[in-house]
């Protein structure tokens, strides 16, 4: 699993993490939280898109409901998830979280083209 954030108007990659052992939904969840934290840190306001309904729900509920097994290999990822959940509990979401409509717009620019 890996994720990245892409600034839509410029197409520029803003952040990238991974690859690590994990799931696509965890990557989507962490990417959304990463984007939210970065926007807050920089004092910016713009929509955050994801093509994962699951990850959008997890962010809204402030809980990553993954079924990934916790092992020594996945422990660093679970630590990152805990940090993201803590950030969500302590910070208000002040920008729109929107579903990327793949059927209408094509693959989300932050994907890696491996589907």
């Amino acid at each position: 699993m890996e994720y990245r954030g892409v600034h839509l108007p410029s197409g520029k990659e803003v952040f990238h993490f991974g690859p690590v052992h994990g799931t696509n939904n965890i990557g989507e969840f962490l990417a959304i939280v990463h984007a939210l934290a970065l926007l807050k840190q920089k004092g910016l306001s713009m929509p955050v898109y994801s093509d994962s309904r699951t990850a959008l729900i997890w962010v809204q509920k402030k809980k990553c409901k993954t079924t990934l097994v916790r092992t020594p290999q996945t422990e660093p990822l679970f630590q990152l998830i805990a940090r993201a959940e803590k950030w969500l509990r302590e910070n208000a979401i002040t920008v729109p979280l929107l579903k990327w409509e793949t059927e209408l717009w094509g693959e989300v620019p932050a994907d890696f083209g491996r589907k």
Side-chain angles (χ1 to χ4, degrees), residues 5-106:
V6 174
H7 180 249
L8 287 175
S10 69
K12 179 183 172 197
E13 183 178 274
V14 180
F15 58 81
H16 180 249
F17 176 81
V20 296
H21 183 76
T23 69
N24 288 342
N25 282 329
I26 292 172
E28 294 277 355
F29 170 79
L30 292 173
I32 295 167
V33 178
H34 194 144
L36 292 170
L38 185 62
L39 289 171
K40 182 173 183 174
Q41 178 189 39
K42 301 224 177 252
L44 299 172
S45 179
M46 63 185 68
V48 173
Y49 288 91
S50 174
D51 63 358
S52 171
R53 280 181 171 55
T54 298
L56 288 165
I57 290 168
W58 288 355
V59 169
Q60 290 167 349
K61 294 186 177 202
K62 304 177 187 319
K63 184 72 177 164
C64 180
K65 301 279 283 182
T66 184
T67 58
L68 182 68
V69 177
R70 196 170 196 143
T71 67
Q73 183 182 25
T74 61
E75 185 59 28
L77 187 58
F78 276 94
Q79 296 298 320
L80 196 55
I81 291 167
R83 192 169 140 202
E85 291 172 340
K86 180 178 187 293
W87 189 93
L88 288 169
R89 287 190 305 273
E90 295 174 354
N91 294 273
I93 296 173
T94 60
V95 299
L97 298 179
L98 303 174
K99 170 70 172 76
W100 181 266
E101 299 298 340
T102 306
E103 305 78 31
L104 298 174
W105 306 331

